[in-house]
Each structure stands twice: as structure tokens, then as C-alpha cells.
Amino acid sequence: METTSETTAPVSDLETHLGYCLRRVSNAVSGNFARALQAKRTSVAEWVLLRQLYDRRQATPGELADALTMTRGAVSKILDKVEAKSWIRRRVKPEDNRVQLLSLTAAGRRIVPELAKIADRNDDQFFACLDSDERQSLGRLLGKLATCHQIRDVPIE
């Protein structure tokens, strides 16, 4: 039998790690939102892409890929899914037939506010335990962390 005289360094409690706590909260908020979107037969990635296109009126696949910090291939897969739902239309740019222009269809323009209400309800339900000042502080602190660490990726899952 081997004995050691080494003393073991104290190990911090898991719950004292902010990253762990943040991940637990993020998983809960995101998971609830993803399940709520399933009722509309859509995904978080589709919602994010549609929301981007809603503000832009039209965009190329490359512009969306840049805005979403995704590969063009990944964006293409999402575009195929929302196009199959008749939420977007593709057309060729008149002055350059190599470029596709994407825009929301009438159905797409109608679904985005519905999906936004689901997002709003999810936030309202999840963050109801925080008062207005606490919500603003949390948003400011999370924004500060994202800026400090140059986090630009758009969460899609």
C-alpha cells in the first residue's frame, strides 16, 4: 500500500464558477426558447436568420453569413429550410446575374413578429424574477463581457 504525504489543494465548489452558472442559465433559457419555436416548426437558427433579413429587407447569402458569423454553407442550409417554408424568396440581382438577392415573402414578414413574440415571452417568463434595473444591469454586464472578449458569434443553437 502506497501512502503519500502530499496535501491536496482545496477545490472550489462548482457553483462558485460564474461560467458554470452562466452556462446553466443559458442552457435553460435557450432550451425553453428552442422548444417554444418547435410549435411553429422552426429553429433558433432559422429565427435568427429571418430576424436579420427582416431588418435588411434584402441581402445576399454572403452578407447574411457575415452578419451571422457563419460559413456560407451553413447559411445555405438554413436558407433552404426557410425557403421550403415559403418564408423567403431568391432572385437574381439584375446588374449581376451571379448574385442572389434574398428577401422575406409576405408569409415571412408575417412569421417574424410571431416568432419575436415567442422570444419576448420566453424572456419575460425567464427573467420575471428580476426587476427592471436588474434586467438592465444584467444586459449591460453581459454586453461588457462580450465586448471585452470580442464575442461576435451569433447564438443559433
Side-chain angles (χ1 to χ4, degrees), residues 9-107:
V11 177
S12 56
D13 291 332
L14 193 55
E15 290 77 19
T16 64
H17 295 275
L18 291 176
Y20 173 76
C21 295
L22 189 59
R23 181 64 184 252
R24 286 180 56 213
V25 171
S26 176
N27 285 353
V29 174
S30 302
N32 195 54
F33 181 52
R35 285 186 296 279
L37 287 177
Q38 286 175 348
K40 293 289 185 182
R41 295 185 351 234
T42 195
S43 68
V44 174
E46 292 168 7
W47 150 243
V48 171
L49 183 137
L50 291 169
R51 188 63 187 82
Q52 282 284 329
L53 201 48
Y54 187 83
D55 285 341
R56 294 168 179 263
R57 297 278 181 188
Q58 72 176 16
T60 66
E63 290 169 342
L64 287 175
D66 290 345
L68 300 173
T69 61
M70 296 174 68
T71 65
R72 289 173 195 238
V75 165
S76 180
K77 289 177 185 177
I78 300 168
L79 288 170
D80 289 344
K81 290 176 183 178
V82 294
E83 185 177 32
K85 296 172 185 177
S86 300
W87 290 344
I88 66 161
R89 82 173 122 270
R90 301 176 198 238
R91 64 181 182 84
V92 174
K93 189 173 184 178
E95 54 277 4
D96 185 350
N97 64 2
R98 297 170 297 168
V99 178
Q100 281 186 3
L101 291 175
L102 308 165
S103 59
L104 294 174
T105 62

